[in-house]
Coordinates of all heavy atoms in Angstrom, one line a residue:
M1 N 47.4 27.2 -17.6 CA 46.0 27.2 -17.2 C 45.4 28.5 -17.7 O 46.0 29.6 -17.5 CB 45.9 27.1 -15.7 CG 44.4 27.1 -15.3 SD 44.1 26.8 -13.6 CE 44.9 28.3 -12.9
I2 N 44.3 28.4 -18.3 CA 43.6 29.7 -18.7 C 42.1 29.5 -18.1 O 41.6 28.5 -17.9 CB 43.5 29.8 -20.3 CG1 43.0 28.6 -21.0 CG2 44.9 30.2 -20.7 CD1 42.9 28.8 -22.5
E3 N 41.5 30.8 -17.9 CA 40.2 30.9 -17.4 C 39.4 32.0 -18.2 O 40.1 32.9 -18.6 CB 40.2 31.3 -16.0 CG 40.6 30.2 -15.0 CD 40.5 30.6 -13.5 OE1 40.1 31.8 -13.2 OE2 40.7 29.8 -12.7
K4 N 38.1 31.8 -18.3 CA 37.3 32.8 -18.9 C 35.9 32.8 -18.3 O 35.4 31.7 -18.0 CB 37.2 32.6 -20.4 CG 36.4 33.7 -21.1 CD 36.5 33.4 -22.7 CE 35.8 34.5 -23.4 NZ 35.8 34.3 -24.9
E5 N 35.3 34.0 -18.0 CA 34.0 34.0 -17.4 C 32.9 34.2 -18.5 O 33.2 34.8 -19.5 CB 33.9 35.2 -16.4 CG 34.7 35.0 -15.1 CD 34.5 36.0 -14.1 OE1 33.9 37.2 -14.5 OE2 34.9 35.8 -13.0
F6 N 31.8 33.6 -18.2 CA 30.6 33.7 -19.1 C 29.4 34.0 -18.2 O 29.2 33.5 -17.1 CB 30.4 32.4 -19.9 CG 31.6 32.0 -20.7 CD1 32.6 31.2 -20.2 CD2 31.6 32.5 -22.1 CE1 33.6 30.8 -21.1 CE2 32.7 32.1 -22.8 CZ 33.7 31.3 -22.3
I7 N 28.4 34.6 -18.9 CA 27.0 34.7 -18.3 C 26.2 33.8 -19.2 O 26.2 34.0 -20.4 CB 26.5 36.2 -18.4 CG1 27.3 37.1 -17.6 CG2 25.0 36.2 -17.8 CD1 27.4 36.9 -16.1
I8 N 25.5 32.9 -18.7 CA 24.7 31.9 -19.4 C 23.4 32.6 -19.9 O 22.6 33.0 -19.0 CB 24.4 30.7 -18.5 CG1 25.7 30.0 -18.1 CG2 23.5 29.7 -19.3 CD1 26.5 29.5 -19.3
E9 N 23.3 32.7 -21.1 CA 22.1 33.3 -21.7 C 21.1 32.3 -22.3 O 19.9 32.7 -22.6 CB 22.5 34.1 -23.0 CG 23.5 35.3 -22.6 CD 22.9 36.3 -21.7 OE1 21.7 36.6 -21.7 OE2 23.6 37.0 -21.0
N10 N 21.5 31.0 -22.3 CA 20.5 29.9 -22.8 C 19.3 29.9 -21.8 O 19.4 29.8 -20.6 CB 21.3 28.6 -22.8 CG 20.4 27.6 -23.5 OD1 19.8 27.8 -24.5 ND2 20.5 26.4 -22.9
E11 N 18.1 29.9 -22.4 CA 16.9 29.8 -21.6 C 16.8 28.6 -20.6 O 16.4 28.8 -19.5 CB 15.6 29.7 -22.5 CG 15.3 31.0 -23.3 CD 14.9 32.1 -22.3 OE1 14.3 31.9 -21.3 OE2 15.3 33.3 -22.6
A12 N 17.4 27.5 -21.0 CA 17.3 26.3 -20.2 C 18.5 26.3 -19.1 O 18.6 25.3 -18.4 CB 17.4 25.0 -21.1
G13 N 19.4 27.3 -19.2 CA 20.6 27.2 -18.4 C 21.5 26.2 -18.9 O 21.6 25.9 -20.1
L14 N 22.2 25.5 -18.0 CA 23.2 24.4 -18.4 C 22.6 23.0 -17.9 O 23.0 22.4 -17.0 CB 24.4 24.7 -17.7 CG 25.6 24.0 -18.2 CD1 25.7 23.9 -19.8 CD2 26.9 24.6 -17.7
H15 N 21.4 22.7 -18.6 CA 20.7 21.4 -18.3 C 20.5 20.5 -19.5 O 20.5 21.1 -20.6 CB 19.4 21.8 -17.6 CG 19.6 22.4 -16.2 ND1 19.9 21.8 -15.1 CD2 19.5 23.8 -16.0 CE1 20.1 22.6 -14.1 NE2 19.8 23.8 -14.6
A16 N 20.4 19.3 -19.3 CA 20.1 18.4 -20.3 C 20.8 18.6 -21.7 O 21.9 18.3 -21.6 CB 18.6 18.3 -20.6
R17 N 20.1 19.0 -22.7 CA 20.9 19.1 -24.0 C 22.0 20.0 -24.0 O 23.0 19.7 -24.5 CB 19.8 19.5 -25.0 CG 18.8 18.4 -25.4 CD 18.0 18.7 -26.6 NE 17.1 17.7 -26.9 CZ 15.8 17.8 -27.0 NH1 15.3 19.0 -26.9 NH2 14.9 16.8 -27.2
P18 N 21.8 21.3 -23.5 CA 23.0 22.2 -23.4 C 24.2 21.5 -22.7 O 25.4 21.6 -23.2 CB 22.6 23.4 -22.7 CG 21.1 23.4 -22.9 CD 20.7 22.0 -22.9
A19 N 24.0 20.9 -21.6 CA 25.0 20.2 -20.9 C 25.6 19.1 -21.7 O 26.9 18.9 -21.7 CB 24.6 19.7 -19.5
A20 N 24.9 18.3 -22.3 CA 25.3 17.2 -23.1 C 26.3 17.8 -24.3 O 27.2 17.1 -24.6 CB 24.2 16.3 -23.7
R21 N 25.8 18.9 -24.9 CA 26.7 19.4 -25.9 C 28.0 19.9 -25.5 O 29.0 19.8 -26.1 CB 25.9 20.6 -26.6 CG 24.7 20.1 -27.5 CD 24.0 21.3 -28.1 NE 22.9 20.8 -28.9 CZ 21.6 21.2 -28.7 NH1 21.4 22.2 -27.8 NH2 20.7 20.7 -29.4
L22 N 28.0 20.5 -24.3 CA 29.2 21.0 -23.6 C 30.1 19.8 -23.3 O 31.3 19.9 -23.6 CB 28.9 21.8 -22.3 CG 30.1 22.2 -21.5 CD1 31.0 23.2 -22.3 CD2 29.7 22.7 -20.2
I23 N 29.5 18.7 -22.7 CA 30.4 17.6 -22.4 C 31.0 16.9 -23.6 O 32.1 16.6 -23.7 CB 29.5 16.6 -21.6 CG1 29.2 17.1 -20.2 CG2 30.2 15.2 -21.5 CD1 28.0 16.8 -19.6
K24 N 30.2 16.8 -24.7 CA 30.7 16.2 -25.9 C 31.8 17.1 -26.5 O 32.9 16.5 -26.9 CB 29.6 16.2 -27.0 CG 30.0 15.6 -28.3 CD 28.9 15.6 -29.3 CE 29.3 15.0 -30.6 NZ 28.2 15.1 -31.7
K25 N 31.7 18.4 -26.4 CA 32.8 19.3 -26.9 C 34.0 19.1 -26.0 O 35.2 19.0 -26.5 CB 32.3 20.8 -26.9 CG 33.3 21.7 -27.5 CD 33.7 21.6 -28.9 CE 32.5 22.0 -29.8 NZ 32.8 21.8 -31.2
A26 N 33.8 19.2 -24.7 CA 34.9 19.2 -23.8 C 35.7 17.8 -23.8 O 36.9 17.8 -23.7 CB 34.4 19.4 -22.3
S27 N 34.9 16.8 -24.1 CA 35.5 15.4 -24.1 C 36.4 15.3 -25.4 O 37.2 14.3 -25.4 CB 34.5 14.4 -24.1 OG 33.8 14.4 -22.8
S28 N 36.3 16.2 -26.3 CA 37.2 16.0 -27.5 C 38.5 16.6 -27.4 O 39.4 16.4 -28.2 CB 36.4 16.6 -28.7 OG 36.4 18.1 -28.6
F29 N 38.8 17.1 -26.1 CA 40.1 17.6 -25.8 C 40.8 16.8 -24.7 O 40.2 16.3 -23.8 CB 40.0 19.0 -25.4 CG 39.4 19.9 -26.5 CD1 38.1 20.3 -26.5 CD2 40.2 20.4 -27.6 CE1 37.5 21.1 -27.5 CE2 39.7 21.1 -28.7 CZ 38.3 21.4 -28.6
T30 N 42.1 16.9 -24.7 CA 42.8 16.1 -23.7 C 43.0 16.9 -22.4 O 43.2 16.4 -21.3 CB 44.2 15.7 -24.2 OG1 45.0 16.8 -24.6 CG2 44.1 14.7 -25.4
S31 N 42.9 18.2 -22.4 CA 43.1 19.1 -21.3 C 42.0 18.9 -20.2 O 40.9 18.4 -20.6 CB 43.0 20.5 -21.7 OG 44.1 21.0 -22.5
D32 N 42.4 19.2 -18.9 CA 41.4 19.1 -17.9 C 40.5 20.4 -18.0 O 41.1 21.5 -18.1 CB 42.0 19.1 -16.5 CG 42.8 17.8 -16.3 OD1 42.3 16.7 -16.8 OD2 43.9 17.9 -15.6
I33 N 39.2 20.2 -18.0 CA 38.3 21.3 -18.2 C 37.3 21.3 -17.0 O 36.6 20.3 -16.8 CB 37.6 21.2 -19.6 CG1 38.5 21.1 -20.7 CG2 36.6 22.4 -19.7 CD1 38.0 20.9 -22.1
S34 N 37.2 22.5 -16.4 CA 36.3 22.6 -15.2 C 35.4 23.8 -15.5 O 35.7 24.8 -16.1 CB 37.1 22.9 -13.9 OG 38.1 21.9 -13.7
I35 N 34.2 23.6 -14.9 CA 33.2 24.7 -14.9 C 33.0 25.0 -13.5 O 32.8 24.2 -12.5 CB 31.8 24.2 -15.4 CG1 31.9 23.6 -16.8 CG2 30.8 25.3 -15.4 CD1 32.4 24.5 -17.9
I36 N 33.1 26.3 -13.1 CA 33.0 26.8 -11.8 C 31.8 27.7 -11.6 O 31.7 28.7 -12.4 CB 34.3 27.5 -11.4 CG1 35.5 26.6 -11.6 CG2 34.2 28.1 -9.9 CD1 36.8 27.3 -11.7
R37 N 30.9 27.5 -10.7 CA 29.9 28.4 -10.4 C 29.9 28.6 -8.9 O 29.7 27.7 -8.0 CB 28.5 27.8 -10.7 CG 27.4 28.6 -10.3 CD 26.0 28.1 -10.8 NE 25.0 28.9 -10.2 CZ 24.3 28.5 -9.1 NH1 24.5 27.4 -8.5 NH2 23.3 29.3 -8.6
G38 N 30.1 29.8 -8.4 CA 30.3 30.2 -7.1 C 31.4 29.3 -6.4 O 32.6 29.5 -6.9
N39 N 31.2 28.6 -5.4 CA 32.3 27.8 -4.8 C 32.2 26.3 -5.2 O 32.9 25.5 -4.7 CB 32.2 27.9 -3.2 CG 30.8 27.3 -2.7 OD1 30.0 27.1 -3.5 ND2 30.7 27.3 -1.4
K40 N 31.3 26.0 -6.3 CA 31.3 24.6 -6.8 C 32.1 24.5 -8.1 O 32.1 25.4 -8.9 CB 29.8 24.3 -7.1 CG 28.9 24.2 -5.9 CD 27.5 23.8 -6.4 CE 26.5 23.8 -5.2 NZ 25.1 23.5 -5.8
I41 N 32.8 23.4 -8.1 CA 33.6 23.1 -9.3 C 33.1 21.8 -9.9 O 33.0 20.8 -9.2 CB 35.1 23.0 -8.9 CG1 35.6 24.4 -8.4 CG2 35.8 22.7 -10.3 CD1 37.0 24.3 -8.0
G42 N 32.8 21.8 -11.2 CA 32.4 20.6 -11.8 C 33.3 20.2 -13.0 O 33.9 21.1 -13.6
N43 N 33.5 18.9 -13.2 CA 34.2 18.4 -14.4 C 33.4 18.5 -15.7 O 32.3 17.9 -15.7 CB 34.6 16.9 -14.1 CG 35.3 16.3 -15.3 OD1 35.6 16.9 -16.3 ND2 35.8 15.0 -15.0
A44 N 33.9 19.3 -16.7 CA 33.1 19.5 -17.9 C 33.0 18.4 -18.8 O 32.3 18.4 -19.7 CB 33.8 20.7 -18.6
K45 N 33.6 17.2 -18.4 CA 33.5 16.0 -19.2 C 32.5 15.0 -18.5 O 32.4 13.9 -18.9 CB 34.9 15.4 -19.3 CG 35.9 16.3 -20.1 CD 37.2 15.7 -20.3 CE 38.1 16.6 -21.0 NZ 39.5 16.1 -21.2
S46 N 31.8 15.4 -17.4 CA 30.9 14.6 -16.7 C 29.5 15.2 -16.6 O 29.4 16.3 -16.0 CB 31.5 14.3 -15.3 OG 30.5 13.9 -14.5
L47 N 28.5 14.5 -17.1 CA 27.2 15.0 -17.1 C 26.7 15.3 -15.7 O 26.2 16.4 -15.5 CB 26.3 14.1 -17.9 CG 24.7 14.6 -17.9 CD1 24.7 15.9 -18.7 CD2 23.9 13.6 -18.6
L48 N 26.9 14.4 -14.8 CA 26.4 14.5 -13.4 C 27.1 15.7 -12.7 O 26.4 16.4 -12.0 CB 26.6 13.3 -12.6 CG 25.6 12.1 -13.0 CD1 26.0 10.9 -12.2 CD2 24.2 12.5 -12.8
S49 N 28.4 15.8 -13.0 CA 29.1 16.9 -12.4 C 28.6 18.3 -12.8 O 28.5 19.2 -12.0 CB 30.6 16.8 -12.7 OG 31.4 17.6 -12.1
V50 N 28.4 18.4 -14.1 CA 27.9 19.6 -14.7 C 26.5 20.0 -14.2 O 26.2 21.1 -13.7 CB 28.0 19.6 -16.3 CG1 27.2 20.8 -16.8 CG2 29.4 19.6 -16.7
L51 N 25.6 19.0 -14.2 CA 24.2 19.2 -13.8 C 24.2 19.5 -12.3 O 23.3 20.3 -11.8 CB 23.3 18.0 -14.0 CG 23.1 17.6 -15.5 CD1 22.3 16.3 -15.6 CD2 22.4 18.8 -16.2
A52 N 25.0 19.0 -11.5 CA 25.1 19.2 -10.0 C 25.4 20.7 -9.7 O 25.1 21.2 -8.6 CB 26.1 18.3 -9.3
L53 N 25.9 21.5 -10.7 CA 26.2 22.9 -10.4 C 25.0 23.7 -10.4 O 25.1 24.8 -9.8 CB 27.2 23.3 -11.5 CG 28.6 22.7 -11.6 CD1 29.4 23.2 -12.9 CD2 29.4 23.0 -10.3
G54 N 24.0 23.2 -11.0 CA 22.7 24.0 -11.0 C 22.8 25.4 -11.7 O 22.5 26.4 -11.1
V55 N 23.3 25.4 -12.9 CA 23.5 26.6 -13.6 C 22.2 27.1 -14.4 O 21.7 26.2 -15.2 CB 24.6 26.5 -14.7 CG1 24.8 27.8 -15.4 CG2 25.9 26.1 -13.8
F56 N 21.7 28.2 -14.1 CA 20.5 28.7 -14.7 C 20.8 29.9 -15.6 O 21.9 30.5 -15.5 CB 19.5 29.1 -13.6 CG 19.0 27.9 -12.8 CD1 19.5 27.7 -11.6 CD2 18.1 27.0 -13.3 CE1 19.2 26.6 -10.8 CE2 17.6 25.9 -12.6 CZ 18.2 25.7 -11.3
K57 N 19.8 30.3 -16.4 CA 20.0 31.5 -17.2 C 20.4 32.7 -16.4 O 19.7 32.9 -15.3 CB 18.7 31.8 -18.0 CG 18.9 33.0 -18.8 CD 17.6 33.4 -19.7 CE 17.9 34.6 -20.5 NZ 16.8 35.0 -21.3
G58 N 21.3 33.4 -16.8 CA 21.8 34.6 -16.0 C 22.8 34.4 -15.0 O 23.5 35.3 -14.5
N59 N 23.2 33.1 -14.7 CA 24.2 32.7 -13.9 C 25.6 33.0 -14.5 O 25.8 32.8 -15.7 CB 24.2 31.3 -13.5 CG 23.1 31.0 -12.5 OD1 22.8 29.8 -12.4 ND2 22.5 31.9 -11.7
K60 N 26.5 33.4 -13.6 CA 28.0 33.5 -14.1 C 28.7 32.3 -13.8 O 28.7 31.7 -12.7 CB 28.6 34.7 -13.4 CG 30.1 35.0 -13.9 CD 30.7 36.3 -13.3 CE 30.9 36.2 -11.9 NZ 31.6 37.3 -11.3
I61 N 29.5 31.8 -14.8 CA 30.3 30.6 -14.7 C 31.7 30.9 -15.1 O 31.9 31.9 -15.9 CB 29.8 29.4 -15.5 CG1 29.8 29.6 -17.0 CG2 28.4 28.9 -15.0 CD1 29.7 28.4 -17.8
T62 N 32.6 30.2 -14.7 CA 34.0 30.4 -15.1 C 34.5 29.0 -15.7 O 34.2 28.0 -15.1 CB 35.0 30.7 -14.0 OG1 34.5 32.0 -13.3 CG2 36.5 30.9 -14.5
V63 N 35.0 29.0 -16.9 CA 35.6 27.9 -17.5 C 37.1 27.9 -17.2 O 37.8 28.9 -17.6 CB 35.3 27.8 -19.1 CG1 36.0 26.6 -19.6 CG2 33.8 27.8 -19.3
R64 N 37.6 26.8 -16.6 CA 39.1 26.7 -16.4 C 39.7 25.5 -17.2 O 39.0 24.4 -17.1 CB 39.3 26.5 -14.9 CG 40.7 26.3 -14.6 CD 40.9 26.1 -13.1 NE 40.5 27.3 -12.3 CZ 40.2 27.2 -11.0 NH1 40.2 26.1 -10.4 NH2 39.9 28.3 -10.4
I65 N 40.6 25.8 -18.0 CA 41.2 24.8 -18.8 C 42.7 24.7 -18.5 O 43.4 25.8 -18.6 CB 40.9 24.9 -20.3 CG1 39.4 25.1 -20.5 CG2 41.5 23.8 -21.1 CD1 39.0 25.4 -21.9
D66 N 43.2 23.4 -18.3 CA 44.7 23.2 -18.2 C 45.1 22.0 -18.8 O 44.6 20.9 -18.7 CB 44.9 23.0 -16.6 CG 46.3 23.0 -16.3 OD1 47.2 23.5 -17.0 OD2 46.7 22.4 -15.2
G67 N 46.0 22.2 -19.8 CA 46.6 21.1 -20.6 C 47.1 21.6 -21.8 O 47.1 22.6 -22.2
P68 N 47.6 20.5 -22.6 CA 48.3 20.8 -23.8 C 47.5 21.5 -25.0 O 48.0 22.1 -25.8 CB 48.8 19.4 -24.3 CG 47.9 18.4 -23.7 CD 47.5 19.0 -22.4
D69 N 46.2 21.2 -25.0 CA 45.4 21.8 -26.1 C 44.4 22.9 -25.4 O 43.3 23.1 -25.9 CB 44.7 20.8 -26.9 CG 43.8 19.9 -26.0 OD1 43.8 20.0 -24.7 OD2 43.1 19.0 -26.5
E70 N 44.8 23.6 -24.4 CA 43.9 24.5 -23.7 C 43.4 25.7 -24.5 O 42.3 26.1 -24.4 CB 44.6 24.9 -22.3 CG 45.8 25.7 -22.5 CD 46.5 26.0 -21.1 OE1 46.3 25.3 -20.2 OE2 47.3 27.0 -21.1
V71 N 44.3 26.2 -25.3 CA 43.9 27.3 -26.1 C 42.8 27.0 -27.2 O 41.8 27.7 -27.3 CB 45.1 28.0 -26.8 CG1 44.7 29.1 -27.8 CG2 46.1 28.5 -25.8
T72 N 43.1 25.9 -27.8 CA 42.1 25.4 -28.8 C 40.8 25.0 -28.1 O 39.6 25.3 -28.6 CB 42.6 24.2 -29.6 OG1 43.9 24.6 -30.2 CG2 41.7 23.8 -30.6
A73 N 40.9 24.4 -26.9 CA 39.7 24.0 -26.2 C 38.9 25.2 -25.8 O 37.6 25.2 -25.9 CB 40.1 23.2 -25.0
M74 N 39.6 26.2 -25.2 CA 38.9 27.4 -24.8 C 38.1 28.1 -26.0 O 37.0 28.6 -25.8 CB 39.8 28.4 -24.1 CG 39.1 29.6 -23.5 SD 37.9 29.3 -22.3 CE 38.9 29.1 -20.9
Y75 N 38.9 28.2 -27.1 CA 38.3 28.8 -28.3 C 36.9 28.1 -28.6 O 35.9 28.7 -28.9 CB 39.3 28.7 -29.5 CG 38.7 29.3 -30.8 CD1 38.5 30.6 -31.0 CD2 38.2 28.4 -31.7 CE1 37.9 31.1 -32.2 CE2 37.7 28.8 -32.9 CZ 37.5 30.1 -33.1 OH 36.9 30.6 -34.3
N76 N 37.0 26.8 -28.7 CA 35.8 26.0 -29.1 C 34.7 26.0 -28.1 O 33.5 26.2 -28.5 CB 36.3 24.6 -29.4 CG 36.9 24.5 -30.8 OD1 36.2 24.4 -31.8 ND2 38.2 24.5 -30.8
I77 N 35.0 26.0 -26.8 CA 34.0 26.0 -25.8 C 33.4 27.4 -25.7 O 32.2 27.5 -25.5 CB 34.6 25.5 -24.5 CG1 34.9 24.0 -24.5 CG2 33.7 25.8 -23.4 CD1 35.5 23.4 -23.4
S78 N 34.2 28.4 -25.9 CA 33.7 29.8 -25.8 C 32.7 30.0 -26.9 O 31.7 30.6 -26.8 CB 34.9 30.8 -26.0 OG 35.7 30.8 -25.0
K79 N 33.0 29.5 -28.2 CA 32.1 29.6 -29.3 C 30.8 28.9 -29.0 O 29.7 29.4 -29.3 CB 32.7 29.0 -30.6 CG 33.6 30.0 -31.3 CD 34.2 29.5 -32.5 CE 33.3 28.9 -33.5 NZ 33.8 28.4 -34.7
L80 N 30.8 27.7 -28.4 CA 29.7 26.9 -28.1 C 28.8 27.7 -27.1 O 27.6 27.8 -27.2 CB 30.1 25.6 -27.5 CG 28.9 24.6 -27.2 CD1 28.2 24.2 -28.4 CD2 29.5 23.4 -26.4
I81 N 29.4 28.2 -26.0 CA 28.7 29.0 -25.0 C 28.1 30.2 -25.6 O 26.8 30.5 -25.3 CB 29.5 29.2 -23.7 CG1 29.9 27.9 -23.1 CG2 28.7 30.2 -22.8 CD1 30.8 28.1 -22.0
E82 N 28.8 30.9 -26.4 CA 28.4 32.2 -26.9 C 27.3 32.0 -28.0 O 26.4 32.9 -28.2 CB 29.5 33.0 -27.5 CG 30.5 33.5 -26.4 CD 31.9 33.9 -27.0 OE1 32.1 33.8 -28.2 OE2 32.6 34.3 -26.1
N83 N 27.2 30.8 -28.5 CA 26.1 30.5 -29.4 C 25.0 29.7 -28.8 O 24.2 29.0 -29.4 CB 26.6 29.5 -30.6 CG 27.5 30.3 -31.6 OD1 27.3 31.5 -31.8 ND2 28.5 29.8 -32.1
N84 N 24.9 29.9 -27.5 CA 23.8 29.3 -26.7 C 23.7 27.8 -26.8 O 22.7 27.2 -26.9 CB 22.4 30.0 -27.0 CG 22.3 31.3 -26.4 OD1 22.9 31.6 -25.3 ND2 21.6 32.2 -27.1
F85 N 24.9 27.2 -26.9 CA 25.1 25.7 -26.9 C 24.6 25.1 -28.3 O 24.2 23.9 -28.3 CB 24.5 25.1 -25.8 CG 25.1 25.6 -24.4 CD1 24.6 26.6 -23.7 CD2 26.3 25.0 -24.0 CE1 25.2 27.1 -22.6 CE2 26.9 25.5 -22.9 CZ 26.4 26.5 -22.2
Y86 N 24.6 25.9 -29.3 CA 24.3 25.3 -30.6 C 25.5 25.4 -31.5 O 26.2 26.4 -31.5 CB 23.1 26.1 -31.3 CG 21.8 25.9 -30.6 CD1 21.3 26.8 -29.7 CD2 21.1 24.7 -30.9 CE1 20.1 26.5 -29.1 CE2 19.8 24.4 -30.3 CZ 19.4 25.3 -29.3 OH 18.2 25.2 -28.8
E87 N 25.8 24.3 -32.1 CA 27.0 24.2 -33.0 C 26.7 25.0 -34.3 O 25.6 24.9 -34.9 CB 27.3 22.8 -33.4 CG 27.7 21.9 -32.3 CD 29.1 22.1 -31.8 OE1 29.9 22.9 -32.6 OE2 29.6 21.5 -30.9
E88 N 27.7 25.7 -34.9 CA 27.6 26.2 -36.1 C 27.9 25.2 -37.2 O 28.9 24.4 -37.0 CB 28.6 27.5 -36.3 CG 28.2 28.5 -35.4 CD 29.2 29.7 -35.5 OE1 30.3 29.5 -36.1 OE2 28.8 30.8 -35.2
D89 N 27.2 25.1 -38.2 CA 27.5 24.2 -39.2 C 28.3 24.8 -40.4 O 28.3 25.9 -40.7 CB 26.1 23.7 -39.9 CG 25.4 22.8 -38.8 OD1 26.1 22.1 -38.1 OD2 24.2 22.8 -38.9

């Protein structure tokens, strides 16, 4: 299991399109991926679960990944978050 903390810099926080991009990326891995905000834990592969966390710009989140492809998943999800939820082409 690996974890990494992030401060959300995206203006919209983790809502609608950014959340959809995160879920699409997370769903491409077999590992269990969780987003943690305070005492709430959401499944990064579920839109409702992510939206229920209420993540806004400036909030700190922790990404927790556990599974066979956790290192690759963390690398890709980290890049997505650090690029404000925009994919590099």
Side-chain angles (χ1 to χ4, degrees):
M1 179 176 67
I2 56 176
E3 291 185 351
K4 186 173 179 182
E5 289 186 348
F6 299 91
I7 302 294
I8 299 301
E9 300 294 335
N10 188 44
E11 288 295 326
L14 196 44
H15 295 283
R17 287 191 185 124
R21 289 182 183 124
L22 173 66
I23 290 149
K24 182 178 177 185
K25 180 68 71 179
S27 295
S28 69
F29 299 100
T30 57
S31 295
D32 293 325
I33 305 173
S34 300
I35 306 295
I36 304 162
R37 177 178 171 258
N39 61 354
K40 294 181 181 179
I41 300 176
N43 178 353
K45 297 179 182 182
S46 164
L47 182 61
L48 289 177
S49 186
V50 171
L51 293 176
L53 295 173
V55 178
F56 297 100
K57 181 179 180 179
N59 288 158
K60 180 171 69 173
I61 64 166
T62 301
V63 175
R64 178 184 294 157
I65 306 177
D66 187 23
D69 54 0
E70 63 189 22
V71 173
T72 304
M74 182 63 82
Y75 173 78
N76 283 277
I77 289 171
S78 294
K79 279 181 49 177
L80 182 67
I81 294 171
E82 290 163 0
N83 289 326
N84 287 323
F85 299 94
Y86 290 99
E87 293 281 355
E88 292 181 341
D89 292 326

